[in-house]
Amino acid sequence: MNNPVQESQEQTTPWTILLYYKYVSIPNPEQFAYEHLKFCKSIGIKGRILIANNGINGTVGGPKEITDQYVQHMKSNSLFADMEIKQSLGPTTSFKKIFVRYREELVTMKYKKQLDPNKEAGTYIEPKELNSLYESNEDFVIIDMRNDYEAAIGRFKNAITLPMQNFKQLPEIVEKELMKYKDKKVVTYCTGGIRCETATALLKDKGFKDVYQLHGGVHVYGQEFPDDYWEGKLYVFDERIAVPINTPENRKILSNCVHCQTPCDDYINCTNVQCNKQITICPDCRIKWNDGCSEDCSKKPRPSTVRT
Ligand SMILES: [Zn+2]
Ligand SMILES: [Zn+2]
């Protein structure tokens, strides 16, 4: 007789997800990207990797045997031997394909000069130090360095969020929104830490004096302290769209359904492919509005029926 427990465990064995970045000068990055893609395909790992002249950034996943092979491969390369690779568990549907792309710069920002995070970034603050700061009487501001749609479904308590749709806009937004904090103690955070490397270098270049960045980002903080000062979900740039951080019994929902305003933090893309806007929409409204963001969009045929 089959053992149903055993069977269901086999079917749901989660993937190991790796998240990493390093600012380092990569010689012949385009060639490296080409070879790295070949390697990834040979072991069967899935996800997204960005390779630039000034570094690497990746989120990849697969069964543990495969991610272990990947980690070993990276550690054997002297450029990445000391790179921190964060591991977590995720569903087996996290990534469908592997993308390895070359881009000129790791994190793109419209600014008058090139900043070197290895020399100019803010000081790391660890998750437990951030908790101590919250619990102290010290005056500080915590700034969310992510885009507005990311902060909408999850953010740190009392965080300042920015009207930003793309990280490229950060220099103008700092100028408009953040200069009033330049003499305060400032802590920044982002998903896994990479954007804060550049963001804190920018703040310091703008004259901010006391600048810290959350080491490992929300990703690491949430693994250590799921229910302390983080509220809501963590937006991610892959098929998962958002991952829970809070434990189910302490779950907080910060956003609302676009149509009926009930608390909801499930993102989908609007059914109208020409619109494709990302919206939070509740199960009832998904049916009522045919997965559309507006009256107009809800009348458009679904993508799967476009050609019929
Ligand atoms: Zn609704
Ligand atoms: Zn729409």
Side-chain angles (χ1 to χ4, degrees):
M1 213 178 89
N2 277 347
N3 178 342
V5 174
Q6 183 77 36
E7 201 172 75
S8 73
Q9 264 174 358
E10 266 169 21
Q11 281 167 359
T12 57
T13 302
W15 272 9
T16 299
I17 310 289
L18 307 176
L19 181 67
Y20 63 81
Y21 70 81
K22 188 183 175 187
Y23 280 94
V24 57
S25 168
I26 298 178
N28 304 319
E30 283 170 277
Q31 177 66 22
F32 177 75
Y34 171 76
E35 281 160 16
H36 197 65
L37 176 62
K38 272 209 300 200
F39 168 75
C40 289
K41 283 185 170 167
S42 76
I43 64 168
I45 203 161
K46 308 277 190 254
R48 284 158 213 271
I49 300 165
L50 191 65
I51 288 162
N53 302 333
N54 66 342
I56 188 166
N57 177 24
T59 312
V60 292
K64 182 96 168 71
E65 320 81 84
I66 291 179
T67 55
D68 282 351
Q69 253 179 291
Y70 185 83
V71 171
Q72 208 178 11
H73 177 80
M74 294 307 272
K75 296 282 172 191
S76 68
N77 184 330
S78 61
L79 283 178
F80 312 116
D82 65 347
M83 183 166 74
E84 279 177 50
I85 301 180
K86 288 157 235 156
Q87 304 208 5
S88 60
L89 295 176
T92 55
T93 50
S94 297
F95 314 101
K96 292 191 186 80
K97 292 180 179 172
I98 176 76
F99 298 99
V100 181
R101 295 207 171 107
Y102 165 77
R103 196 202 277 164
E104 218 167 296
E105 275 181 286
L106 207 49
V107 170
T108 318
M109 194 170 71
K110 281 183 196 144
Y111 194 50
K112 60 188 181 206
K113 67 184 198 194
Q114 180 95 35
L115 300 165
D116 180 0
N118 284 329
K119 297 196 185 98
E120 299 161 290
T123 313
Y124 284 137
I125 181 168
E126 301 301 326
K128 66 172 188 310
E129 296 174 309
L130 178 60
N131 281 1
S132 308
L133 193 56
Y134 268 109
E135 280 142 28
S136 74
N137 291 321
E138 209 182 325
D139 187 27
F140 76 103
V141 288
I142 181 156
I143 304 174
D144 193 318
M145 287 298 177
R146 303 170 305 152
N147 297 319
D148 52 7
Y149 56 86
E150 297 174 75
I153 56 164
R155 53 193 178 259
F156 273 102
K157 194 180 170 198
N158 302 329
I160 292 161
T161 59
L162 306 175
M164 180 157 75
Q165 288 81 50
N166 188 309
F167 191 76
K168 279 182 194 141
Q169 303 167 301
L170 187 64
E172 43 173 310
I173 286 171
V174 167
E175 202 59 55
K176 263 190 260 169
E177 314 261 334
L178 298 177
M179 290 312 284
K180 54 180 177 276
Y181 306 117
K182 109 181 149 42
D183 297 316
K184 291 207 173 212
K185 179 170 190 151
V186 166
V187 180
T188 74
Y189 68 89
C190 64
T191 315
I194 188 169
R195 283 177 278 181
C196 283
E197 301 280 354
T198 301
T200 55
L202 172 70
L203 292 181
K204 286 170 74 178
D205 198 61
K206 287 290 206 179
F208 283 65
K209 291 175 187 71
D210 203 15
V211 183
Y212 296 82
Q213 53 172 329
L214 179 61
H215 193 195
V218 180
H219 187 83
V220 167
Y221 181 92
Q223 284 183 330
E224 292 183 35
F225 304 108
D227 297 319
D228 284 41
Y229 294 99
W230 176 267
E231 299 174 340
K233 282 185 182 169
L234 174 61
Y235 187 96
V236 290
F237 290 89
D238 56 54
E239 285 83 349
R240 296 171 294 169
I241 305 184
V243 294
I245 298 286
N246 302 145
T247 54
E249 57 274 23
N250 292 301
R251 186 172 168 219
K252 291 190 182 72
I253 300 177
L254 306 188
S255 45
N256 301 317
C257 170
V258 281
H259 295 300
C260 71
Q261 307 305 319
T262 53
C264 166
D265 57 7
D266 295 317
Y267 266 129
I268 65 156
N269 288 86
C270 173
T271 188
N272 174 7
V273 281
Q274 270 93 50
C275 168
N276 202 42
K277 194 172 147 194
Q278 213 162 38
I279 50 172
T280 49
I281 181 168
C282 76
D284 288 349
C285 289
R286 282 193 68 165
I287 298 165
K288 202 167 145 199
W289 293 81
N290 188 30
D291 283 350
C293 76
S294 64
E295 194 83 51
D296 259 9
C297 285
S298 63
K299 286 179 193 143
K300 302 273 175 176
R302 286 163 183 275
S304 57
T305 59
V306 161
R307 282 166 217 273
T308 61

